[in-house]
């Protein structure tokens, strides 16, 4: 006996095909399943309430594995990733926010399969972006988060494009927060390298604009050379007053009597005697020395600098 449902399908096959022909005119679907779902959620939110257009403003980071990372290909968040990558990602963006005096948090909201797709919802100073959307503060809330996230994306892009150390130093070595962000980025790059992972990030920010950034093996290799620490030596001079003399061949020079001094060593006994006279007189001197420290190509050092005396003269 023939199934009546099957008979109906066969009978209406041509008509059903005509009704579905319009599907061929649609643009092909791109992106992962998680990204497609996110776009659908954004579109539904805009249709439901135009005042929350663009919600959710989401940062998505995909970690794709090589053959050595089979759990990653199944969408599994391994213990190593949970320990060495996720917190570092969150810290990298947090430090970027501090550049603008913004306390930025990334709240992990979901993990999807296929590759490890981490979805973060940015939060500034503990505010609820969904609630703020209702009172018209969404742009104010997200503009600072947008700046911080784009800053990290920009750094990643410069690494991937192998920008010169000078370019990166000019852009990202302006203050201590940025230097800390670079050090945190180094930890992320090292973990990605060790766990054989590629890094793809997507930021759907204010006004619904999508921004992409990728770090491949090329970028990781370049980052490794940038962050390699090497001994450096530079000749420098400073003017100030001597605020302390150590008979073991050291002096402390500061710009003011109450300022934090720079300890310079390597003075001979005769030079120490001369330094004592400048100290007692309160004379302003110009001292020249060699600064030695271990640092990478971005000018970020490890440990304390060592200053070795070369000469000193009274400043006229």
């Amino acid at each position: 006996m023939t199934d009546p449902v099957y008979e109906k399908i066969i009978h209406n096959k041509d008509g059903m095909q005509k009704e579905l022909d319009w599907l061929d005119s649609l643009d092909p679907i791109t992106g992962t399943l998680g990204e497609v779902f996110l776009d659908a959620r954004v579109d539904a939110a805009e249709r439901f309430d135009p005042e929350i257009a663009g919600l959710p403003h989401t940062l998505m980071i995909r970690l794709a594995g090589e053959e050595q990372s089979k759990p990653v290909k199944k969408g599994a968040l391994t213990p190593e990733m949970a320990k060495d990558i996720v917190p570092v990602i969150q810290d990298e963006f947090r430090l970027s926010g501090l550049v603008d005096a913004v306390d930025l948090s990334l709240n992990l909201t979901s993990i999807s399969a296929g590759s490890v797709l981490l979805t973060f919802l940015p939060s500034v100073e503990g505010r609820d972006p969904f609630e703020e959307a209702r009172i018209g503060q969404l742009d104010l809330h997200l503009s600072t988060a947008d700046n911080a996230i784009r800053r990290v994306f920009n750094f990643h892009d410069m690494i991937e494009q192998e920008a010169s150390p000078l370019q990166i130093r000019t852009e990202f070595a302006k203050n201590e927060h940025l230097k800390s962000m670079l050090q945190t980025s180094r930890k992320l790059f090292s973990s990605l390298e060790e766990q054989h992972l590629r890094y793809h990030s997507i930021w759907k920010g204010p006004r619904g604009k999508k921004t992409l950034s990728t770090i491949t093996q090329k970028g990781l290799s370049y980052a490794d050379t940038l962050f390699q620490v090497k001994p450096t030596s530079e000749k420098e001079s400073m003017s100030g007053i001597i605020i302390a003399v150590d008979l073991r061949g050291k002096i402390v020079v500061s710009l003011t009597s109450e300022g934090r001094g720079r300890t310079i060593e390597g003075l001979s006994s005769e030079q120490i005697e001369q330094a004592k006279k400048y100290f007692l007189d309160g004379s302003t001197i110009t001292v020249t020395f060699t600064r030695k420290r271990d640092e990478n190509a971005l000018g970020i050092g490890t440990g304390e600098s060592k200053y070795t005396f070369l000469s000193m003269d009274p400043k006229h």
Side-chain angles (χ1 to χ4, degrees):
M1 181 176 178
T2 305
D3 187 335
V5 175
Y6 176 77
E7 288 280 0
K8 186 174 182 180
I9 292 174
I10 294 298
H11 180 73
N12 295 319
K13 182 176 68 172
D14 293 338
M16 291 173 63
Q17 182 60 47
K18 290 181 180 178
E19 292 180 5
L20 296 176
D21 284 346
W22 62 274
L23 290 172
D24 294 333
S25 65
L26 297 178
D27 294 331
I29 297 175
T30 59
T32 66
L33 184 61
E35 292 165 8
V36 173
F37 280 166
L38 177 61
D39 287 336
R41 289 170 61 197
V42 171
D43 184 61
E46 292 175 345
R47 291 171 181 266
F48 178 75
D49 186 347
E51 291 186 5
I52 58 173
L55 276 176
H57 297 275
T58 308
L59 174 66
M60 302 179 71
I61 295 176
R62 186 193 311 141
L63 302 174
E66 306 291 347
E67 287 301 322
Q68 301 94 322
S69 307
K70 291 183 180 179
V72 175
K73 290 193 171 184
K74 297 180 180 179
L77 184 68
T78 65
E80 293 80 10
M81 292 166 64
K83 172 178 174 289
D84 298 328
I85 292 182
V86 175
V88 176
I89 289 173
Q90 293 169 313
D91 203 35
E92 185 181 34
F93 287 97
R94 180 188 66 81
L95 288 165
S96 178
L98 290 178
V99 176
D100 303 317
V102 172
D103 186 7
L104 174 65
S105 299
L106 291 183
N107 304 302
L108 182 60
T109 60
S110 67
I111 301 174
S112 302
S115 53
V116 177
L117 186 64
L118 307 172
T119 305
F120 296 95
L121 183 66
S123 173
V124 176
E125 298 174 354
R127 304 176 200 158
D128 183 350
F130 290 95
E131 184 61 30
E132 290 190 356
R134 297 294 178 183
I135 59 176
Q137 297 296 311
L138 185 61
D139 285 344
L140 177 64
H141 161 80
L142 278 168
S143 60
T144 49
D146 187 60
N147 290 339
I149 290 170
R150 288 179 184 277
R151 183 180 294 115
V152 174
F153 275 39
N154 184 31
F155 174 59
H156 289 180
D157 289 344
M158 293 182 80
I159 291 294
E160 183 66 21
Q161 295 162 11
E162 299 184 342
S164 71
L166 179 59
Q167 286 179 286
I168 298 175
R169 288 178 68 163
T170 301
E171 185 72 23
F172 290 99
K174 299 174 182 176
N175 61 49
E176 292 306 313
H177 291 313
L178 281 173
K179 290 181 180 179
S180 297
M181 189 197 88
L182 297 189
Q183 291 289 64
T184 302
S185 299
R186 180 188 61 79
K187 296 178 184 178
L188 172 63
F189 300 152
S190 296
S191 295
L192 292 172
E193 183 88 53
E194 291 170 4
Q195 298 180 43
H196 309 286
L197 298 171
R198 298 185 304 277
Y199 180 103
H200 311 274
S201 48
I202 304 172
W203 165 233
K204 294 183 72 83
R207 296 167 295 281
K209 185 175 181 181
K210 182 187 290 187
T211 306
L212 310 176
S213 183
T214 298
I215 303 173
T216 65
Q217 183 59 50
K218 182 186 78 168
L220 294 178
S221 298
Y222 183 60
D224 184 56
T225 62
L226 286 180
F227 285 103
Q228 284 181 4
V229 175
K230 300 177 181 179
T232 63
S233 177
E234 294 182 10
K235 183 178 178 181
E236 297 182 2
S237 296
M238 69 174 290
S239 296
I241 59 175
I242 298 175
I243 60 173
V245 177
D246 187 325
L247 297 181
R248 292 170 295 182
K250 299 179 183 179
I251 57 174
V252 180
V253 180
S254 175
L255 296 177
T256 67
S257 59
E258 298 179 357
R260 182 180 178 184
R262 176 169 292 178
T263 301
I264 302 171
E265 58 187 42
L267 283 77
S268 66
S269 56
E270 293 82 4
Q271 291 164 339
I272 284 292
E273 289 301 317
Q274 184 62 53
K276 286 167 61 178
K277 294 179 181 179
Y278 291 142
F279 170 68
L280 295 173
D281 294 342
S283 303
T284 299
I285 65 166
T286 298
V287 59
T288 303
F289 50 86
T290 300
R291 180 176 68 89
K292 295 181 179 180
R293 72 167 181 169
D294 295 335
E295 64 180 35
N296 58 38
L298 301 180
I300 301 175
T302 59
E304 296 292 329
S305 296
K306 182 178 180 180
Y307 306 97
T308 303
F309 178 84
L310 292 176
S311 65
M312 63 181 170
D313 298 289
K315 185 177 180 182
H316 299 292

